[in-house]
Amino acid sequence: MGDVPLHPTINTALNALSGVLLVGGLIAIRGGKRELHGKFMGAAFLASMAFLVSYLIYHYTALHTPYEKQDWTRPVYFAVLISHVILAAVNLPMVLRTLYLAVKKRWPEHRKWARWTTPIWLYVSVTGVVVYGMLYLM
């Protein structure tokens, strides 16, 4: 893949997969398919957890990767990166809480949490891919 490191590519694929599964879960629940929704969301959670473990291993063992461009994309990159990192940190406990409520079948609470958790989770998945693209593909 040229100068693109393999590990960040794998991380981004996991992030993208999580986003696709989230959209599948949204479509399923809006179509009244609760069991399918649960499968999509469980798979999205597993993809996100695989991403998180892989990401932490990579950043524990790899050197820092600076954004070297000095053009108009630099402030855009950092705006996306900062919002991504903050919302990722906020979203993890929200995802865990939302999943817990689903496992306990506390549906009214689950829906309330999911209305906030899902869009943030989707934003984090999409912006993770955008950060990768800006860092390695632009």
Side-chain angles (χ1 to χ4, degrees):
M1 285 192 62
D3 293 341
V4 180
L6 179 60
H7 205 145
T9 302
I10 292 168
N11 290 344
T12 300
L14 289 167
N15 225 346
L17 175 60
S18 177
V20 168
L21 292 166
L22 285 170
V23 170
L26 284 170
I27 291 168
I29 198 63
R30 289 194 177 140
K33 299 175 181 171
R34 289 183 182 176
E35 189 175 325
L36 182 60
H37 165 76
K39 289 178 181 178
F40 270 114
M41 299 310 281
F45 176 75
L46 292 175
S48 289
M49 290 305 100
F51 159 79
L52 181 58
V53 169
S54 180
Y55 176 87
L56 291 173
I57 290 169
Y58 175 72
H59 283 282
Y60 181 74
T61 60
L63 298 173
H64 170 70
T65 305
Y67 190 77
E68 299 193 4
K69 291 188 172 88
Q70 298 294 327
D71 58 10
W72 66 270
T73 64
R74 190 173 184 80
V76 172
Y77 171 79
F78 283 107
V80 172
L81 178 64
I82 290 167
S83 67
H84 170 79
V85 170
I86 291 169
L87 288 174
V90 167
N91 199 41
L92 179 59
M94 293 175 71
V95 168
L96 293 173
R97 176 70 178 165
T98 305
L99 181 62
Y100 169 81
L101 293 169
V103 168
K104 293 296 184 178
K105 298 184 187 324
R106 292 167 50 184
W107 303 123
E109 290 174 276
H110 171 77
R111 279 190 290 277
K112 286 179 186 176
W113 276 84
R115 283 189 182 105
W116 289 96
T117 304
T118 304
I120 295 171
W121 191 358
L122 191 55
Y123 177 86
V124 168
S125 293
V126 170
T127 55
V129 175
V130 170
V131 165
Y132 170 86
M134 292 184 79
L135 194 57
Y136 295 108
L137 304 178
M138 286 182 58

